[in-house]
Amino acid sequence: MDAEKISDGRRRWQDRFDAARKRDADFTTLSGMEVEPAYGPSEGVDDPRMERIGWPGEFPYTRGLYPTGYRGRAWTIRQFSGFGNAVQTNERYKMLLRSGGGGLSVAFDMPTLMGRDSDDPKSLGEVGHCGVAIDSAADMDVLFGGIPLADVTTSMTISGPAVPAFCMYLVAAERQGADISKLDGTLQTDIYKEYIAQKEWLFPPEPHLRLIGDLMEYCAHNIPRYKPLSVSGYHIREAGSTAAQELAFTVADGFGYVELGLSRDLDINVFAPGLSFFFDSHIDFFEEIAKFRAARRIWARWLRDVYGATSEKAQWMRFHTQTAGVSLTAQQPYNNVVRTGVEALAAVLGGTNSLHTNALDETLALPTEQSAEIALRTQAVLMEETGVTNVADPLGGSWYVEALTDKIEAEAEEIFRNILALGGETGDADGQSAGAITKAAMGSGRHEIGPITSGLLRGIEEGWFTAGIADAAFTYQQQLERGEKRVVGVNCHTETVSKDLEILRISGDVERDQVAALAKRKTDRDEAAVSAALKHMVDVSRTDANMIPAMLEATRVEATLGEICDALRIEWGEYIEPARF
C-alpha cells in the first residue's frame, strides 16, 4: 500500500478513535510515559503489508474490531465454572462476580451434556462431577438465584442438548421478571465440533442442524442481542490439532452455520452478528497471537466477499478464549500458573473479547476456591498492571508476527479448499482463493444448505477431520517422547520440592440429593401437562414449524432435560459414530 493510502487510513482511524467512547483510565506507562493508542508505518512510508494489516477497527480487522482497542472497553473476564448441584455452583458464581468477573460461563456435568437426567442409570457416578447438574427449569432457578439475568451476560457451554437447556434458561429469566427480548448471552450449540472432536452429540447431524436453524430464527426475531451459536475451536485444539487446523476447522464450521442461516432466508446482516467464536490459547505465544489475527481477517473477508455481508458487525469475528487445559501438567502443578499467565497474555495481545483462565489444579480435579481466585487474579494483573490495554494491537507490524499471521492464513485457506473438495466442488483451484471457489459454487453444493456444509458433513462421515487431528496429536507425542518438544516437569527439569495439592472432591451426597430432588419435582408437577407438552413438541418436530415455542412450553411445566431429549431420540434416532481402523 502506498504512503498516501496509508495516511488516509490513519486519518480515518483517528477520526473514529476521537469519536469513540474511551474508558476513564491512565494509559501511560509505569514510568508515566505517554503512548499512542495505535501505531503504524511512519508518515510518508510505503508498506505493502498494510493491505492485509490495516488499522484497528477497519476491514479486514486483523488488528481488532474497535479503533480504541482495549482503551474503549477491556475484555470481559468470564470464568467457566460449575460443579456439584445448582446451590453450590450459585455460590461460586457469586464469589466470581464479587471478585471482578464480568459475566458467567456455565459448565455442565456429563449427564446434562449428554441430555440425560440425574436419575438415568447411565448417569450413575457422574452427577455433578465435571460441571453442574441441571435436570429442569427449577434447577436453573436455583443456579441463577440472586443473579439478575437481565443484567448479567451468561454463556452456556453445551451443544447436544443446547436448545432445551436454552429454553430452561429463558424460563428462569421469565420467572425473575426479566424482559426476555433484552437478554444478552451466548449458547455454544456448535454440533459440528462435537462430531469433529468432543463427541457429545445426541442425534444424527440433520436433526441437530434443524434445531440450530430454529434457534437462529428464534433469536434473530425475538432476542436480537443473544448469540445462539459459539463456534468452538477449543475442543478441536484440546483433542490434539495444530493451530492452523483449529483455526480452519472452526472457521469452516462457522461458514456452515452461515449457510444454514441463509438457507432459512435470514438476513446475513441480522443473524451473522449473533455468531461468536471460542478459541484455545495454547503455550506457543506468538503462534497463538498470529492465529487470532488471521482468524478475524479470514472471517471478515469471507463474510463480505463470499456470503455478501455488508454491515461491519456482520463481518466481525467476536471470540472468547480459554487458556489451554491440555497444556497443564499434573507434575509440578504450580508451573501451571505461569503457563496460564503466558497463554492469557497471548489471548489479550491477539485481541480476545472475553477470557477464561484455567486454574492450576484443573488437570487433577475441578478448581478449589483458592485456585479459582488465582486464575481470576491472573487476568486482573494483566488488565490493571501490565499496560497491555494502552495500545491497540501492539505487535502489529512485527515482521515475525505478520509473517506468521500470513502463514497460518495460507494453511487455513488450503484446508478450506480440501473441505470444498470433500463436498464435491471440483475444478482448477490454481490462482483462486477458497473464497472465490465457494462464491462461484454458492447454491450448487451437493447438500441443499451449501457447499461448505456438504464438505463438513462428508468429512464427518468419512472421519477426515478426526484423522487429521489424530495425525497432528501423534506427531506431537512423538516429538515429546524424543525430547524435541520440552515440557517443564514432564521431560525436563523434573526434580521438585512441591508437595501434593489439596483438590476439590465432589461428595456422593450430591448425586443422592439431586436424584431425590428430581423425584420430588416429578411427583409435585402436573403429569398430564408434561405429557401433553412433550407430545405437542414431537408433533411440531414433524412439521416445518419452529420448535422453540413448543419446547419452551414443555420446560415451563417442568418437563426434564432427559424427557425432552428422549422424546426426540425416539423420533429422530441416536447417532453412533462408524468404527474406523
Side-chain angles (χ1 to χ4, degrees):
M1 183 180 287
D2 63 38
E4 184 176 351
K5 288 184 178 179
I6 292 173
S7 293
D8 288 344
R10 187 191 301 273
R11 283 191 291 273
R12 284 196 310 273
W13 166 80
Q14 188 68 59
D15 289 343
R16 297 183 72 183
F17 176 84
D18 291 342
R21 182 180 300 176
K22 272 79 72 176
R23 292 186 294 121
D24 182 14
D26 174 21
F27 295 115
T28 64
T29 70
L30 192 63
S31 305
M33 185 184 301
E34 296 285 343
V35 294
E36 296 296 326
Y39 288 82
S42 300
E43 194 69 41
V45 174
D46 294 348
D47 192 331
R49 303 176 305 161
M50 283 298 288
E51 197 73 43
R52 300 187 306 280
I53 300 172
W55 292 92
E58 286 199 355
F59 186 90
Y61 308 107
T62 309
R63 305 195 66 187
L65 304 180
Y66 310 108
T68 53
Y70 292 132
R71 287 197 183 195
R73 178 181 177 181
W75 67 91
T76 300
I77 298 175
R78 189 184 298 282
Q79 290 297 96
F80 182 52
S81 183
F83 66 96
N85 58 32
V87 172
Q88 293 168 310
T89 300
N90 175 267
E91 292 171 356
R92 177 65 62 88
Y93 286 165
K94 289 175 178 176
M95 182 276 283
L96 291 170
L97 291 171
R98 285 195 306 270
S99 301
L104 300 177
S105 184
V106 183
F108 296 96
D109 70 357
M110 187 55 68
T112 306
L113 292 171
M114 298 306 296
R116 299 194 180 277
D117 289 336
S118 296
D119 60 1
D120 189 308
K122 293 184 178 179
S123 301
L124 185 64
E126 295 292 340
V127 175
H129 277 267
C130 69
V132 62
I134 297 294
D135 291 313
S136 76
D139 286 320
M140 285 286 191
D141 293 339
V142 176
L143 184 67
F144 298 115
I147 300 171
L149 292 175
D151 303 326
V152 176
T153 61
T154 302
S155 170
M156 294 192 288
T157 304
I158 188 168
S159 292
V163 179
F166 168 76
C167 290
M168 292 174 185
Y169 161 80
L170 290 189
V171 170
E174 286 176 351
R175 291 170 178 172
Q176 286 187 0
D179 182 346
I180 299 302
S181 67
K182 296 180 180 178
L183 290 178
D184 192 359
T186 305
L187 190 67
Q188 189 164 95
T189 332
D190 178 8
I191 205 61
Y192 281 131
K193 64 92 177 173
E194 299 296 344
Y195 297 111
I196 290 171
Q198 198 174 19
K199 315 299 184 184
E200 291 168 1
W201 58 70
L202 305 186
F203 318 115
E206 296 287 355
H208 274 300
L209 290 178
R210 185 260 172 90
L211 278 175
I212 293 169
D214 286 354
L215 180 67
M216 292 171 69
E217 282 185 353
Y218 188 86
C219 289
H221 295 148
N222 299 286
I223 320 177
R225 293 172 62 189
Y226 195 86
K227 299 161 191 65
L229 268 162
S230 176
V231 191
S232 177
Y234 185 84
H235 310 89
I236 293 170
R237 190 64 178 283
E238 294 286 294
S241 78
T242 66
Q245 285 174 329
E246 177 198 359
L247 167 57
F249 292 176
T250 307
V251 172
D253 290 348
F255 296 153
Y257 295 124
V258 169
E259 292 177 354
L260 178 60
L262 292 173
S263 76
R264 294 292 190 102
D265 294 323
L266 296 176
D267 183 342
I268 193 168
N269 292 314
V270 174
F271 79 80
L275 302 176
S276 65
F277 288 79
F278 173 23
F279 288 113
D280 199 304
S281 188
H282 218 299
I283 194 63
D284 191 314
F285 186 68
F286 291 105
E287 183 175 57
E288 295 305 292
I289 294 167
K291 178 187 74 181
F292 299 133
R293 300 171 85 250
R296 270 194 304 270
R297 187 158 77 200
I298 292 169
W299 184 254
R301 187 176 67 250
W302 276 62
L303 266 286
R304 186 190 71 175
D305 298 345
V306 177
Y307 295 113
T310 56
S311 75
E312 281 195 338
K313 288 186 177 181
Q315 298 166 13
W316 285 355
M317 173 185 272
R318 299 176 182 84
F319 65 90
H320 172 73
T321 310
Q322 181 173 340
T323 56
V326 75
S327 73
L328 305 180
T329 65
Q331 303 92 326
Q332 301 179 25
Y334 290 105
N335 297 341
N336 294 332
V337 177
V338 181
R339 293 185 179 101
T340 296
V342 170
E343 292 161 1
L345 181 58
V348 169
L349 293 178
T352 192
N353 301 103
S354 63
L355 179 60
H356 165 93
T357 34
N358 289 327
L360 66 95
D361 50 1
E362 285 192 67
T363 191
L364 300 166
L366 293 167
T368 63
E369 188 166 307
Q370 181 181 32
S371 66
E373 182 180 83
I374 294 170
L376 186 68
R377 294 290 186 249
T378 299
Q379 293 200 50
V381 170
L382 290 176
M383 188 180 291
E384 307 293 351
E385 298 184 30
T386 63
V388 294
T389 62
N390 291 352
V391 178
D393 189 34
L395 293 177
S398 156
W399 295 109
Y400 176 42
V401 169
E402 298 301 349
L404 202 53
T405 302
D406 292 345
K407 183 173 178 59
I408 290 176
E409 180 181 23
E411 288 189 28
E413 290 287 355
E414 180 61 30
I415 292 172
F416 299 150
R417 280 189 281 271
N418 290 333
I419 292 171
L420 285 165
L422 282 168
E425 298 305 328
T426 59
D428 183 9
D430 291 344
Q432 297 186 70
S433 71
I437 299 167
T438 305
K439 188 172 184 179
M442 285 297 290
S444 65
R446 289 187 178 180
H447 194 281
E448 61 183 6
I449 290 177
I452 288 286
T453 301
S454 183
L456 290 171
L457 294 176
R458 179 73 176 276
I460 289 165
E461 178 186 343
E462 296 187 353
W464 184 81
F465 295 102
T466 53
I469 294 170
D471 287 345
F474 181 64
T475 297
Y476 175 74
Q477 186 63 31
Q478 287 181 309
Q479 292 171 327
L480 191 67
E481 291 177 6
R482 290 195 297 261
E484 296 165 4
K485 299 294 186 185
R486 295 163 72 82
V487 178
V488 173
V490 175
N491 64 354
C492 64
H493 308 291
T494 54
E495 62 284 348
T496 182
V497 296
S498 295
K499 302 295 189 295
D500 290 342
L501 292 174
E502 289 289 330
I503 62 174
L504 179 65
R505 301 186 187 279
I506 304 300
S507 168
D509 292 342
V510 168
E511 183 165 327
R512 286 191 293 272
D513 292 347
Q514 184 71 17
V515 169
L518 178 58
K520 184 175 188 308
R521 203 176 305 154
K522 288 180 176 179
T523 300
D524 293 345
R525 70 188 182 178
D526 184 339
E527 202 64 39
V530 172
S531 296
L534 290 172
K535 181 181 182 303
H536 176 61
M537 180 190 71
V538 172
D539 289 342
V540 172
S541 76
R542 296 168 181 165
T543 72
D544 293 332
N546 193 298
M547 289 184 63
I548 306 301
M551 199 172 285
L552 269 171
E553 285 305 315
T555 58
R556 287 189 181 109
V557 296
E558 291 299 322
T560 68
L561 185 69
E563 289 168 338
I564 291 170
C565 294
D566 284 345
L568 294 176
R569 283 186 180 101
I570 293 170
E571 184 68 19
W572 290 335
E574 295 185 71
Y575 180 74
I576 298 174
E577 189 174 33
R580 298 183 182 92
F581 300 96

